[in-house]
Amino acid sequence: MKGIIFTNFADFIGEAFGLVVWQNVLDATALEADGSYVGTMTYSDSEFMTLFSSACEHCQRDPIQMQLEFGRWLFPTLFSKSPAAVKLIDNLKEFLFSIDTIIHVEVKKLDPEAKTPSLNCVEIDENTLCIDYLSSRGMGYLAKGLIEGAANHFAQKANVIITPSDNPEKFKLVVTLHD
């Protein structure tokens, strides 16, 4: 997983729960990188999951709630680093279609080893999208939080329903857009 996720998770915990809590998480967790992360580096997924689990415990949040909160918080940062073509998008629907077709393509150009999640987006009708999320990390609720953060960014009312599957790597997200 890219270091930008680690560094932003540290910032999120520090802002939402306090720097003392973040330090307690680091002190209580055996980490390969000792809690020092560089945004452009790649770290093991297991390192993040260990850190994430410890943060959930210290912040008294269940993992689903923590993923949702972090996703909503993280969206503005990730969007600010989007390719120029994405920054021109002015609506949630078009943005959601751009995730796999533009954003993840550009990420892979910069880092061919990057393991981006797959988000297959299908338009059900004018106001409804179905997104099949697939990632070895199984963080579909983070994706839901990011989508909710995107809806807020685009000032678009949206209802996001997530359905896990029997496979912990797959989730279905149905996004209904409202006026």
Side-chain angles (χ1 to χ4, degrees):
M1 186 175 290
K2 296 306 291 181
I4 188 172
I5 303 300
F6 286 82
T7 59
N8 277 281
F9 189 63
D11 291 346
F12 164 69
I13 296 298
E15 284 182 26
F17 303 97
L19 292 175
V20 170
V21 172
W22 177 245
Q23 189 60 54
N24 290 341
V25 169
L26 293 177
D27 291 345
T29 311
L31 300 166
E32 296 168 26
D34 295 324
S36 299
Y37 304 101
V38 177
T40 56
M41 298 292 292
T42 301
Y43 302 91
S44 72
D45 292 350
S46 62
E47 174 105 348
F48 184 78
M49 297 315 291
T50 299
L51 191 61
F52 181 82
S53 294
S54 181
C56 288
E57 183 178 318
H58 282 84
C59 299
Q60 299 178 337
R61 290 287 196 275
D62 69 65
I64 290 173
Q65 189 61 36
M66 185 69 88
Q67 286 182 52
L68 290 169
E69 291 176 20
F70 179 47
R72 290 181 201 117
W73 182 93
L74 181 61
F75 179 80
T77 299
L78 293 183
F79 187 78
S80 73
K81 298 183 181 315
S82 294
V86 173
K87 290 179 183 172
L88 297 174
I89 293 172
D90 66 355
N91 65 83
L92 180 60
K93 184 193 291 188
E94 189 178 347
F95 173 77
L96 292 174
F97 277 103
S98 79
I99 295 170
D100 257 9
T101 61
I102 299 174
I103 298 171
H104 288 165
V105 170
E106 292 299 317
V107 168
K108 294 224 181 218
K109 283 180 186 176
L110 294 172
D111 183 0
E113 301 296 316
K115 296 183 213 167
T116 60
S118 168
L119 284 88
N120 182 35
C121 196
V122 176
E123 187 171 10
I124 303 301
D125 62 40
E126 185 178 335
N127 295 314
T128 309
L129 305 174
C130 181
I131 302 171
D132 289 319
Y133 167 94
L134 176 63
S135 172
S136 60
R137 297 178 186 107
M139 298 191 76
Y141 290 92
L142 177 66
K144 180 182 181 192
L146 285 164
I147 293 168
E148 291 171 348
N152 185 58
H153 171 82
F154 291 109
Q156 171 72 61
K157 293 180 184 171
N159 185 31
V160 183
I161 297 173
I162 186 168
T163 306
S165 71
D166 292 338
N167 179 342
E169 298 177 354
K170 293 182 180 181
F171 292 82
K172 183 173 294 297
L173 297 115
V174 176
V175 181
T176 306
L177 307 173
H178 305 283
D179 293 329

